[in-house]
Amino acid sequence: MKDNQSNPNPDNKKTLDPKNEGPKFNWKLVLSLLTAIVLGLALIFGIRTDWYGLANENNQDQTASSDNSSEQNAESTSESGEASDEDASTEATGSEGDSAQLPNVSTEATTLLNQPKNLPSKFQYDSGYDIAYPEDGVKGIYLSAAGATDQALFDENMALLDETNLNSVVLDVKDDYGNITMDLPSEDDTVNNNEIDSIDGEGIMQTFEDKQIYPIARITTFKDTNLANADPSRTFQTASGEVWTNGGGDAFLNPYNKDNWEYLVEVAKSAARAGYKDIQFDYVRFPEGFETFGETLTYDMGDYAEYGKASTEARQMVIADFLAYAREELEPYGVDVSADIFGYVTDVVATPGIGQNYNMIAENVDVISSMIYPSHWGPGYFGLDYPDLYPYEVVQAYMEKENALNAELEESPVSRPWLQDFTASYLAEGTYAEYGAAEVQEQIDAVIESGANEYLLWDASNTYTRGVDYK
């Protein structure tokens, strides 16, 4: 059938057969409809593609403007101390104005692209435990595996939290030897092989949820004698091929070895699956004094080999890079990442041997917990003959230094320092004080007066002082 049969040509003298007359198939109409459909689909696809491109363009502009406004916010913060995250967000959105051009693309959507932590909870791992971040900030105590499994001691500490403003517990999940203290939800063989299951993980987490105690998983990071001895390729070896240990017999994992990164982060992920809301990396460093003997040891520097074993920069980079990797890997779990550092890091900023650089670490964590125990400062520090005798003055002087460093950062982490609730009787007679309620109170007062509102108390024996205003 030809197209022109629906419109007979009068010059063609033929007569149509009546038997072939009837409803005609209008091809022109069909082709017109198909063309309209194709054009319609192309238009829709083009609009969606354009929206997507604009959203991405807006996202890039938002990132750039956020960086610029963060610098302005940091400057205004250092001058007045009154700029807030909300102010910075408003400046970043308003400086480019792209969101006003996209009535169907919300600014919230583009913000989510930049900040995965703001994703709705359905996009994050749900451990099944509902424990909120303390409204007044974290104020916690440390519990070892022994303190968690000694029922009388555990009950005493739970009562202390019930009766005071203390609201958080830092619990050993991976201890100073490398033992994983509870059964963690992991299929990793190395994790499972290092579990000792001394703590009833589910039972203690249920207690924390019932009492709304904020749970922080302490993970002793590169100090790990068990794994170093089990697999010497993960650690530092002496010239004779033996696993290097410090004066206390402790071995350290090699921070340059990224197999160690993966293992440590798997422990962290498993802790998040178990319900912990904050992953605290302790001993996130090289051994003390490494700059004096590290070149004599055998180990692989991996991606950092070009810097050489004597490089202070390489040590600082790898510690910061590990924390950045851990933070990125832990984003889907909705947990905070915190790091313990030596207090003197804020004074020297960049340590030569252990690899801790305040600014580099601060950029890659949510929380910094500096160990500012008065007993850990040498004679004459902060102009004090014996710092342990001056708990208020030490903490006040330290916080001034930390606040000054944070004011230089575009986005500073939460300050949550470790305070001393023990007596340093190992110091020389006359150079230390007996620590009780007054000494603990002075440290807390100094933290609060500095503008921070979070702190942690350390006592290896897990016996904490009563009679303190834990504000």
PDB file of all heavy atoms in Angstrom, residues 1-3 5 24-25 27:
ATOM      1  N   MET A   1       0.856  -1.194   0.000  1.00  0.00           N
ATOM      2  CA  MET A   1       0.000   0.000   0.000  1.00  0.00           C
ATOM      3  C   MET A   1       0.879   1.226   0.000  1.00  0.00           C
ATOM      4  O   MET A   1       1.794   1.343   0.794  1.00  0.00           O
ATOM      5  CB  MET A   1      -0.887   0.019   1.246  1.00  0.00           C
ATOM      6  CG  MET A   1      -1.824   1.206   1.295  1.00  0.00           C
ATOM      7  SD  MET A   1      -2.815   1.180   2.776  1.00  0.00           S
ATOM      8  CE  MET A   1      -3.798  -0.258   2.480  1.00  0.00           C
ATOM      9  N   LYS A   2       0.603   2.187  -0.918  1.00  0.00           N
ATOM     10  CA  LYS A   2       1.389   3.403  -1.008  1.00  0.00           C
ATOM     11  C   LYS A   2       0.717   4.520  -0.229  1.00  0.00           C
ATOM     12  O   LYS A   2      -0.480   4.563  -0.082  1.00  0.00           O
ATOM     13  CB  LYS A   2       1.542   3.820  -2.469  1.00  0.00           C
ATOM     14  CG  LYS A   2       2.316   2.794  -3.303  1.00  0.00           C
ATOM     15  CD  LYS A   2       2.460   3.266  -4.725  1.00  0.00           C
ATOM     16  CE  LYS A   2       3.234   2.232  -5.534  1.00  0.00           C
ATOM     17  NZ  LYS A   2       3.383   2.652  -6.934  1.00  0.00           N
ATOM     18  N   ASP A   3       1.547   5.467   0.239  1.00  0.00           N
ATOM     19  CA  ASP A   3       1.009   6.558   1.045  1.00  0.00           C
ATOM     20  C   ASP A   3      -0.049   7.350   0.293  1.00  0.00           C
ATOM     21  O   ASP A   3      -1.022   7.819   0.873  1.00  0.00           O
ATOM     22  CB  ASP A   3       2.135   7.494   1.471  1.00  0.00           C
ATOM     23  CG  ASP A   3       3.041   6.846   2.495  1.00  0.00           C
ATOM     24  OD1 ASP A   3       2.634   5.816   3.064  1.00  0.00           O
ATOM     25  OD2 ASP A   3       4.123   7.365   2.716  1.00  0.00           O
ATOM     26  N   GLN A   5      -2.350   6.509  -1.624  1.00  0.00           N
ATOM     27  CA  GLN A   5      -3.647   5.869  -1.847  1.00  0.00           C
ATOM     28  C   GLN A   5      -4.733   6.474  -0.982  1.00  0.00           C
ATOM     29  O   GLN A   5      -5.901   6.340  -1.277  1.00  0.00           O
ATOM     30  CB  GLN A   5      -3.537   4.371  -1.582  1.00  0.00           C
ATOM     31  CG  GLN A   5      -2.818   3.637  -2.697  1.00  0.00           C
ATOM     32  CD  GLN A   5      -2.743   2.161  -2.461  1.00  0.00           C
ATOM     33  OE1 GLN A   5      -2.913   1.707  -1.333  1.00  0.00           O
ATOM     34  NE2 GLN A   5      -2.527   1.401  -3.523  1.00  0.00           N
ATOM     35  N   LYS A  24      -9.061   3.668   6.680  1.00  0.00           N
ATOM     36  CA  LYS A  24      -7.694   3.758   6.158  1.00  0.00           C
ATOM     37  C   LYS A  24      -6.690   3.965   7.308  1.00  0.00           C
ATOM     38  O   LYS A  24      -7.004   4.607   8.295  1.00  0.00           O
ATOM     39  CB  LYS A  24      -7.594   4.946   5.190  1.00  0.00           C
ATOM     40  CG  LYS A  24      -8.550   4.840   4.009  1.00  0.00           C
ATOM     41  CD  LYS A  24      -8.221   3.634   3.163  1.00  0.00           C
ATOM     42  CE  LYS A  24      -9.036   3.602   1.878  1.00  0.00           C
ATOM     43  NZ  LYS A  24     -10.477   3.481   2.125  1.00  0.00           N
ATOM     44  N   PHE A  25      -5.489   3.387   7.168  1.00  0.00           N
ATOM     45  CA  PHE A  25      -4.420   3.550   8.169  1.00  0.00           C
ATOM     46  C   PHE A  25      -3.646   4.818   7.837  1.00  0.00           C
ATOM     47  O   PHE A  25      -3.007   4.892   6.785  1.00  0.00           O
ATOM     48  CB  PHE A  25      -3.481   2.340   8.141  1.00  0.00           C
ATOM     49  CG  PHE A  25      -2.588   2.245   9.321  1.00  0.00           C
ATOM     50  CD1 PHE A  25      -2.998   1.627  10.473  1.00  0.00           C
ATOM     51  CD2 PHE A  25      -1.302   2.812   9.284  1.00  0.00           C
ATOM     52  CE1 PHE A  25      -2.172   1.545  11.550  1.00  0.00           C
ATOM     53  CE2 PHE A  25      -0.487   2.723  10.360  1.00  0.00           C
ATOM     54  CZ  PHE A  25      -0.910   2.082  11.513  1.00  0.00           C
ATOM     55  N   TRP A  27      -0.744   6.857   8.086  1.00  0.00           N
ATOM     56  CA  TRP A  27       0.670   6.797   8.447  1.00  0.00           C
ATOM     57  C   TRP A  27       1.223   8.157   8.863  1.00  0.00           C
ATOM     58  O   TRP A  27       2.096   8.261   9.707  1.00  0.00           O
ATOM     59  CB  TRP A  27       1.483   6.267   7.261  1.00  0.00           C
ATOM     60  CG  TRP A  27       1.343   4.780   7.092  1.00  0.00           C
ATOM     61  CD1 TRP A  27       0.603   4.109   6.186  1.00  0.00           C
ATOM     62  CD2 TRP A  27       1.971   3.808   7.920  1.00  0.00           C
ATOM     63  NE1 TRP A  27       0.703   2.748   6.363  1.00  0.00           N
ATOM     64  CE2 TRP A  27       1.545   2.537   7.439  1.00  0.00           C
ATOM     65  CE3 TRP A  27       2.826   3.865   9.016  1.00  0.00           C
ATOM     66  CZ2 TRP A  27       1.963   1.347   8.012  1.00  0.00           C
ATOM     67  CZ3 TRP A  27       3.245   2.673   9.584  1.00  0.00           C
ATOM     68  CH2 TRP A  27       2.810   1.428   9.089  1.00  0.00           C
TER      69      TRP A  27
END
